[in-house]
Amino acid sequence: MNHMYIKTSMFLVAFLFSACATTETPPPEAKPITVVDEAPKPKYIQVAMAEAKEIGHKIWMNEGSAKVEHLTAWNKGENFASLGIGHFIWYPAAQEGRFHETFPDLIAFLEQQGVATPTWLPEDAPWKSHEAFKRDQNSSRMNELRTLLENTIPQQVQFIIQRLEKALPIMLDSLTSERKRDHVREQFYQVANARPNGIYALIDYVNFKGEGTKPTERYNGQGWGLLQVLENMSNNADDVMTEFANSAEYVLKRRIQNSPAQRNESRWFAGWKIRTKTYMYK
């Protein structure tokens, strides 16, 4: 344990005991002691239930217009289902893709939290195609899945927060210099401490476009994840949330410019831009 942390703890204990002893002379005024990043941090970023619900509703609005039927989706042209408020990816058996699969991890997290999940849920999506998924829209298992996802919005937010907490060291490890690591770490905590939208912006974007560390999530060697947004931010911005939103818009526009023409990714940009603007709203 850091010696400075020990000294600080001893000072606090001494102060409390002296405050309780009314017959003793108060101790002389001590010089202030500053401890930076020495106290143990919580395992995950902590948010109150009310704040988790509010954040969850914003993410649900971004991903599915806050409609229950949009909690289970399979976008045309994609080879996976997109489920929950964060459109967590779920691949069918024997399918692999460019993007990180997150829905099985969400189910494991919910079960760890004591949430009962449908017994039919396998490790792989039971639908082989977009067409099969659409045919199953009104089935009992699809309704059961939507009910689960509608009733666990705060837990889904906590799952995304867990992913965010794990993302920072992964992002830092991927960088090649201490200067770059310091810059990304500084921007991360500036955004995290910005109220009221900092935490929402970080967890929404990491869920929306990932950490930005996977080699497969690149076009022409350039990524579009949270790492790239933080890297692109200025150190001297007057408004950190406006800077974050503008940086997100920049890396998304760059993704479109680098993307294969046949994907026609420009059709998504208007919606992406609306989403990034929510990061700076009061």
Side-chain angles (χ1 to χ4, degrees):
M1 181 179 293
N2 186 283
H3 293 300
M4 182 66 73
Y5 183 76
I6 295 173
K7 290 179 181 178
T8 305
S9 301
M10 293 175 64
F11 170 76
L12 291 173
V13 171
F15 178 80
L16 290 172
F17 274 107
S18 65
C20 295
T22 57
T23 60
E24 295 183 10
T25 303
E29 183 178 355
K31 295 180 179 180
I33 299 175
T34 301
V35 180
V36 180
D37 289 339
E38 295 295 333
K41 295 180 180 179
K43 186 174 182 181
Y44 307 131
I45 294 171
Q46 302 297 303
V47 296
M49 180 66 73
E51 186 177 0
K53 288 181 178 178
E54 181 180 350
I55 291 172
H57 189 270
K58 287 182 179 180
I59 297 173
W60 186 12
M61 180 64 71
N62 289 337
E63 293 284 6
S65 303
K67 294 181 179 179
V68 173
E69 60 266 30
H70 293 168
L71 290 172
T72 54
W74 186 312
N75 297 324
K76 199 166 184 178
E78 294 180 333
N79 64 335
F80 53 82
S82 299
L83 307 171
I85 63 169
H87 274 196
F88 306 109
I89 291 174
W90 198 16
Y91 287 109
Q95 284 272 18
E96 292 185 6
R98 175 186 293 272
F99 308 112
H100 179 62
E101 184 178 45
T102 49
F103 183 70
D105 294 337
L106 170 65
I107 294 303
F109 179 82
L110 293 178
E111 291 173 348
Q112 290 168 6
Q113 303 301 307
V115 176
T117 61
T119 56
W120 60 264
L121 280 176
E123 292 184 2
D124 300 309
W127 312 280
K128 302 298 183 184
S129 65
H130 172 266
E131 291 72 23
F133 182 86
K134 286 296 184 183
R135 287 195 299 269
D136 204 33
Q137 277 299 295
N138 297 317
S139 69
S140 59
R141 68 179 175 183
M142 194 73 83
N143 288 327
E144 186 178 20
L145 183 55
R146 281 192 285 264
T147 298
L148 170 71
L149 295 170
E150 184 182 9
N151 291 339
T152 57
I153 289 175
Q155 291 92 336
Q156 291 174 62
V157 170
Q158 191 62 53
F159 171 73
I160 303 171
I161 290 176
Q162 181 190 53
R163 182 180 179 186
L164 173 64
E165 283 282 302
K166 291 178 178 178
L168 181 59
I170 294 171
M171 292 188 296
L172 296 178
D173 287 345
S174 73
L175 297 172
T176 57
S177 73
E178 193 60 36
R179 180 184 62 81
K180 291 180 180 179
R181 287 189 284 272
D182 287 344
H183 175 76
V184 167
R185 186 186 295 109
E186 180 180 354
Q187 303 314 311
F188 180 93
Y189 284 113
Q190 280 197 33
V191 176
N193 290 322
R195 288 291 184 259
N197 284 342
I199 294 298
Y200 154 65
L202 286 173
I203 68 173
D204 182 74
Y205 196 88
V206 79
N207 179 68
F208 173 40
K209 290 302 177 192
E211 294 88 350
T213 58
K214 289 189 69 176
T216 56
E217 294 181 349
R218 298 277 194 281
Y219 291 147
N220 294 333
Q222 294 183 312
W224 50 79
L226 179 60
L227 172 61
Q228 287 75 39
V229 175
L230 297 172
E231 281 185 302
N232 186 62
M233 290 177 66
S234 167
N235 279 324
N236 303 312
D238 294 330
D239 184 336
V240 67
M241 293 314 302
T242 297
E243 178 70 11
F244 181 82
N246 289 341
S247 182
E249 182 179 326
Y250 170 82
V251 300
L252 291 171
K253 188 179 295 183
R254 186 178 65 187
R255 165 181 163 153
I256 291 170
Q257 292 168 347
N258 288 330
S259 65
Q262 65 270 21
R263 283 185 58 82
N264 188 28
E265 293 198 1
S266 61
R267 70 188 189 275
W268 297 324
F269 184 67
W272 290 353
K273 187 173 181 178
I274 291 171
R275 183 172 189 153
T276 60
K277 292 302 182 188
T278 68
Y279 301 156
M280 63 174 98
Y281 293 158
K282 302 302 183 185

